[in-house]
C-alpha cells in the first residue's frame, strides 16, 4: 500500500503532465482532468492494481476501468503512462497527428489500457454495464469501474443504463460521477439543474455514496466502502465532489478551463504551483 | 441459354431464418449472447431467450443502451447479437454504433428486422430505407442483406464466425424461400444466380426473387439476364460485378432501399471508377414510405419484377 503522501506526489506529477500536454498540444481539456487526478491515481494504484504489461482487451481476471467523459483524456493517458502501460515520453505526442493519444480516447493502434472509444457523451455507463455482465457470465469476480461527468448526466442514455443496471442487479459495477459542477456553457446548475441527484440515483435503485474527490484519505475510505457494498444486489454509484482545475489556483472552479489549454505564461504559472515529484516526460 | 429454375419451397419470413440460426449458435457456442429492446417475438429471438435465459438480455425500449451494453459484452469475449427493427438499431442509435462498435472495432452483430418498405402497415416511421447507407459508411462495418429464409440462416452463421462489427439486415413478411439450405455463404462473395448475356441484374435482399421473376419475363422478350445475389453490400464483390458487366455491358440494381446510399449507389461508384457502363436503379427515389400491404407497397414504390423488367429494357437500349 502506498502512503497518502506518495499518492499525492503521483497526482501532482499527473497534474504537471496534464498542464504540459495540453499546453504543448495547444488544445485539450485541462480543467476536469486536473480535478479528477487524485481519484484516478488512487483508483489505479490502490484499488485496481492491474498488470500494465499484461493488458488484454477482454480484461479477464482483472479489474477494468472505463472513462465516459473522454475529454479528460490527458488525465487518463498520464495515469496509464505513469502506471507503466506505455512510456511517459509518448505523452508528448498528445493530440498530434499519428499519435496513439488521440484527442479523445480510442483503441486505434492498440493503446494499452483503453478498451473502447469515448468522447461522444452518455455511453460509458452502458458499456461498463455490458462489461460487468460479461464478468458475471464468465464467473470473474473482478470489478468494473467507470468515471462519468456530471454535465454528462444530461444525456438520456445514462438514465436508460441506470434503470437497466439496477433491474438486472449488476452489482459488480462502481460508477463514479465527477461532480465538479461545471460544464462548457457554465455551472451545471444553470445549464441544466440536476436537482436532488442523490435522491434520483437512489430512486433508480443504486447504492449511493458521496465522496470528496480532492482528498486522498476520503477517496481511500469511500472507495473501500463502495467495494464493500458490491455483490449485494445493487450497483454502486459515487457522487464525487471535485474542483475543476484543482491544484492550479487560477483554474479553480472555473468552467472556462473546461476545454481551453494554458498559453505559455499560464502554463509557467501553473507549473510553478505543482511540484515535479517524479520527473517530467 | 436456359434460365436456371428456382422453386419457392414455401414462403417464410427471413427473420425466422435468423431466429433458427441464433438458437443453433447458442447451442454451439456459449460466447453467443443476445439482446433485444422489447421486440423479442418480432425478431424471432424468443427461442434463444427461452433456451438460454442467462445469456439473453431484455433491455426494454432503450436501444442506445442496448447497443453500448452489447459493445461492453464483447469486452469479456462475448459475441453479442443485438436486435430490433432496422430503424431502431441504425438511425436511432447511429452515434452509439459509430463510437462504441465501429470505431472501437467491437465484435457486435447488429440484427435488423423489418427493414425496408415491406414492413408494411406500420408506415414510414418504422420503414427505414436509409439503413444500408448509414451502416456502409462506417469504417470497419460489414453490411449483409440476405434474400430469403435459408440464406438469412446461413448468413447468421457466417456473421457469427466473422470477428468484427456486422450489420445483418432482414425483413418482416413471408417471402419465397428458394435458395438451397446448404448453399455456401461467404461474406463478401456474390452468388451468381443465373447466367445471362445481355444485362446484369444485381439484387439484394427480398429483391433477388423479384429479379429472378423479371429474368423469366425478359427471357420471353429475348433478353438474357444475368442475376447476381449481392447479399453483402460491404465489402462489395467488385470482381463478380465487373466480370458480369464486362460480359453483359449494362446493369440494373435492385434493392428495398433508397437510391441514395444503397447498393445501386455502391455499384455506380464502382462502375464510374473502373468500367463505365449504363446503369439503372430499382430503388426508392428520395421519398418516405407509407402504410399498406407489403406487395402493394412494393408495386407502388417501383420495387417489383415489373419495374426491374422495365429498367432492364431501358438499360439494354442505352448500350
Amino acid at each position: 500500500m502506498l502512503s497518502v503522501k506518495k499518492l499525492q506526489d503521483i497526482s501532482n506529477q499527473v497534474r504537471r503532465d496534464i498542464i504540459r500536454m495540453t499546453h504543448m498540444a495547444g488544445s485539450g481539456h485541462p480543467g476536469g482532468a486536473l480535478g479528477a487526478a487524485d481519484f484516478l491515481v488512487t483508483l489505479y494504484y490502490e484499488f485496481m492494481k492491474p498488470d500494465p504489461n499484461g493488458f488484454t482487451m477482454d480484461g479477464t481476471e482483472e479489474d477494468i476501468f472505463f472513462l465516459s467523459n473522454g475529454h479528460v483524456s490527458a488525465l487518463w493517458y498520464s495515469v496509464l503512462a505513469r502506471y507503466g502501460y506505455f512510456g511517459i515520453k509518448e505523452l508528448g505526442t498528445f493530440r498530434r497527428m499519428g499519435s496513439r493519444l488521440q484527442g479523445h480516447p480510442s483503441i486505434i493502434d492498440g493503446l494499452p489500457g483503453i478498451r473502447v472509444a469515448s468522447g461522444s457523451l452518455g455511453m460509458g455507463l452502458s458499456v461498463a454495464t455490458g462489461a460487468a455482465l460479461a464478468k458475471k457470465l464468465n464467473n470473474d469476480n473482478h470489478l468494473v469501474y467507470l468515471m462519468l461527468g456530471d454535465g454528462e448526466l444530461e444525456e438520456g442514455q445514462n438514465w436508460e443504463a441506470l434503470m437497466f443496471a439496477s433491474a438486472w442487479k449488476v452489482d459488480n459495477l462502481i460508477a463514479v460521477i465527477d461532480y465538479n459542477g461545471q460544464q462548457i456553457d457554465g455551472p451545471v446548475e444553470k445549464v441544466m439543474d440536476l436537482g436532488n441527484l442523490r435522491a434520483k440515483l437512489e430512486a433508480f435503485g443504486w447504492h449511493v455514496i458521496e465522496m470528496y474527490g480532492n482528498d486522498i484519505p476520503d477517496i481511500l475510505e469511500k472507495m473501500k466502502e463502495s467495494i464493500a457494498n458490491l455483490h449485494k444486489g445493487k450497483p454502486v454509484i459515487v457522487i464525487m465532489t471535485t474542483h475543476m482545475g484543482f491544484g492550479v489556483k487560477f483554474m479553480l472552479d472555473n468552467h472556462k478551463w473546461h476545454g481551453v489549454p494554458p498559453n505559455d505564461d499560464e502554463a509557467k504559472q501553473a507549473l510553478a504551483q505543482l511540484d515535479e515529484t517524479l520527473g517530467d516526460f | 441459354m436456359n434460365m436456371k429454375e428456382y422453386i419457392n419451397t414455401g414462403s417464410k419470413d427471413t427473420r425466422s431464418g435468423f431466429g433458427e440460426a441464433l438458437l443453433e449458435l447458442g447451442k454451439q457456442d456459449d460466447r453467443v449472447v443476445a439482446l433485444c429492446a422489447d421486440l423479442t417475438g418480432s425478431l424471432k429471438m424468443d427461442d434463444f431467450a427461452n433456451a438460454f435465459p442467462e445469456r439473453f438480455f431484455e433491455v426494454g425500449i432503450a436501444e442506445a443502451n442496448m447497443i453500448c451494453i452489447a459493445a461492453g459484452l464483447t469486452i469479456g469475449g462475448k459475441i453479442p447479437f443485438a436486435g430490433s427493427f432496422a430503424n431502431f438499431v441504425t438511425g436511432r442509435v447511429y452515434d452509439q454504433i459509430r463510437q462504441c462498435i465501429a470505431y472501437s472495432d467491437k465484435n457486435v452483430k447488429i440484427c435488423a428486422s423489418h427493414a425496408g418498405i415491406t414492413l408494411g402497415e406500420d408506415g414510414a416511421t418504422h420503414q427505414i430505407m436509409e439503413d444500408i447507407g448509414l451502416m456502409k459508411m462506417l469504417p470497419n462495418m460489414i453490411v449483409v442483406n440476405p434474400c430469403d429464409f435459408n440464406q438469412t440462416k446461413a448468413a447468421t452463421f457466417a456473421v457469427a464466425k466473422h470477428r468484427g462489427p456486422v450489420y445483418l439486415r432482414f425483413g418482416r413478411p413471408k417471402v419465397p424461400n428458394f435458395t438451397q439450405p446448404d448453399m455456401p455463404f461467404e461474406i463478401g462473395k456474390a452468388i451468381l444466380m443465373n447466367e445471362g448475356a445481355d444485362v446484369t441484374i444485381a439484387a439484394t435482399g427480398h429483391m433477388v426473387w423479384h429479379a429472378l421473376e423479371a429474368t423469366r419475363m425478359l427471357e420471353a422478350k429475348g433478353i438474357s439476364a444475368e442475376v447476381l445475389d449481392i447479399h453483402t453490400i460491404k465489402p462489395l464483390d467488385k470482381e463478380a460485378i465487373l466480370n458480369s458487366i464486362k460480359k453483359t455491358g449494362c446493369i440494373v440494381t435492385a434493392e428495398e432501399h433508397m437510391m441514395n446510399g444503397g447498393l445501386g449507389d455502391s455499384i455506380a461508384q464502382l462502375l464510374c471508377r473502373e468500367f463505365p457502363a449504363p446503369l439503372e436503379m430499382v430503388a426508392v427515389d428520395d421519398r418516405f414510405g407509407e402504410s399498406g400491404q407489403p406487395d402493394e407497397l412494393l408495386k407502388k414504390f417501383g420495387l417489383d419484377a415489373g419495374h426491374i423488367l422495365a429498367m432492364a429494357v431501358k438499360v439494354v437500349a442505352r448500350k
Side-chain angles (χ1 to χ4, degrees), chain A residues 46-255:
Chain A
E46 281 303 306
F47 292 97
M48 290 172 54
K49 298 178 184 165
D51 172 11
N53 300 309
F55 174 76
T56 63
M57 186 52 80
D58 284 356
T60 308
E61 297 297 330
E62 66 174 356
D63 290 350
I64 58 179
F65 171 76
F66 293 100
L67 179 73
S68 192
N69 51 330
H71 53 270
V72 301
S73 55
L75 163 61
W76 199 14
Y77 296 146
S78 167
V79 171
L80 289 174
R82 294 285 167 186
Y83 192 81
Y85 277 94
F86 50 86
I88 57 172
K89 277 204 163 48
E90 196 169 347
L91 296 176
T93 69
F94 179 54
R95 286 180 162 251
R96 304 238 177 237
M97 196 161 74
S99 173
R100 297 194 295 177
L101 312 189
Q102 292 288 298
H104 292 81
S106 104
I107 65 152
I108 62 156
D109 299 323
L111 187 67
I114 296 181
R115 294 185 169 86
V116 72
S118 61
S120 181
L121 296 172
M123 304 182 198
L125 187 54
S126 305
V127 174
T129 300
L133 289 173
K135 285 209 178 293
K136 281 178 176 274
L137 287 171
N138 292 339
N139 294 315
D140 174 352
N141 286 324
H142 288 76
L143 305 180
V144 177
Y145 293 96
L146 164 82
M147 185 164 87
L148 67 165
D150 49 1
E152 189 181 2
L153 290 171
E154 292 153 16
E155 292 280 8
Q157 187 181 340
N158 283 305
W159 302 91
E160 296 180 4
L162 286 165
M163 212 183 311
F164 178 98
S166 74
W168 277 84
K169 300 183 170 49
V170 185
D171 58 1
N172 53 347
L173 167 66
I174 298 178
V176 177
I177 299 168
D178 183 10
Y179 200 105
N180 61 26
Q182 309 291 332
Q183 60 187 109
I184 297 176
D185 276 357
V188 174
E189 62 182 355
K190 287 199 176 148
V191 175
M192 181 53 62
D193 193 349
L194 295 175
N196 188 339
L197 183 58
R198 184 183 178 111
K200 286 178 181 171
L201 297 170
E202 282 174 345
F204 272 71
W206 287 59
H207 185 91
V208 183
I209 287 172
E210 291 180 45
M211 174 168 99
Y212 178 39
N214 294 125
D215 180 69
I216 286 170
D218 199 57
I219 297 170
L220 290 167
E221 187 191 325
K222 299 295 168 53
M223 290 308 292
K224 275 179 203 153
E225 187 188 336
S226 299
I227 292 165
N229 277 288
L230 290 177
H231 303 298
K232 291 179 179 174
K234 281 185 176 189
V236 172
I237 194 156
V238 180
I239 303 174
M240 174 175 78
T241 305
T242 61
H243 295 283
M244 181 174 270
F246 190 84
V248 177
K249 289 192 180 82
F250 63 88
M251 291 185 175
L252 197 69
D253 293 327
N254 188 341
H255 71 87

Side-chain angles (χ1 to χ4, degrees), chain B residues 159-173:
Chain B
V159 304
K161 281 208 187 91
H162 170 85
R163 203 228 67 85
V166 173
Y167 180 61
L168 177 63
R169 180 193 210 236
F170 41 90
R172 172 184 171 236

Side-chain angles (χ1 to χ4, degrees), chain A residues 19-27 91-94 96 261-262 281:
Chain A
I19 295 295
R20 296 182 69 240
M21 288 164 76
T22 52
H23 173 238
M24 286 165 70
S27 71
L91 296 176
T93 69
F94 179 54
R96 304 238 177 237
F281 63 82

